[in-house]
Amino acid sequence: MNEEQRLNPRLNEDLRFTPKPGGPALYGATTEKPVQYLTVAERDGNVIGYVWANDEDDAAGWEVRKAGGDDAFNKGARWARKLHDAKARGLAPTTALAEMVRDSDPASSSHVVPDSLQQAPSLKTVTALAEQ
């Protein structure tokens, strides 16, 4: 068997990643405009992060609170998933926040802190809160 016969033709395939249309609908990940945000806490009241939204830029996201550690990061997946589901249903970002307030259950592992809906001049304000 010579060298040419041993080469697998698949080793020469073009493996570049080319994104295809039709993936999940997502809110924008950033905005320079004012945002509304909710505080999310565990059952014991420890704040684990913030959910924010801006309708003008169709943007929304989850900011995990750094001091919450791995547990806050893991519980935050639930809130990010709620945003993905809301976008898939065609909800405006702030409507998604209102739904989270309405459906929040303080008995669950994490919940929206009652009366925590606030306005921030920018996403940077919320990000700074999450760094504490």
Side-chain angles (χ1 to χ4, degrees), residues 38-42 45-47 49 101 104 111-117:
L38 297 170
T39 302
V40 177
E42 296 176 299
N46 288 328
V47 174
V101 169
S104 187
H111 64 280
V112 172
V113 173
D115 301 318
S116 68
L117 180 63

Side-chain angles (χ1 to χ4, degrees), residues 53-97:
N54 173 280
D55 287 345
E56 254 185 286
D57 288 335
D58 195 38
W62 163 256
E63 294 291 328
V64 66
R65 185 166 177 246
K66 189 176 181 178
D70 292 341
D71 199 36
F73 179 83
N74 292 335
K75 288 179 180 174
R78 173 179 174 218
W79 299 95
R81 203 168 33 256
K82 285 178 180 279
L83 288 173
H84 293 299
D85 293 346
K87 178 62 176 175
R89 290 183 285 127
L91 297 181
T94 58
T95 303
L97 291 187

Side-chain angles (χ1 to χ4, degrees), residues 9-38:
R10 286 192 276 167
L11 296 177
N12 294 325
E13 287 183 49
D14 181 6
L15 299 178
R16 286 180 284 189
F17 175 73
T18 307
K20 300 286 184 191
L26 300 173
Y27 292 118
T30 189
T31 182
E32 297 298 321
K33 297 179 176 75
V35 297
Q36 292 183 21
Y37 70 95
L38 297 170

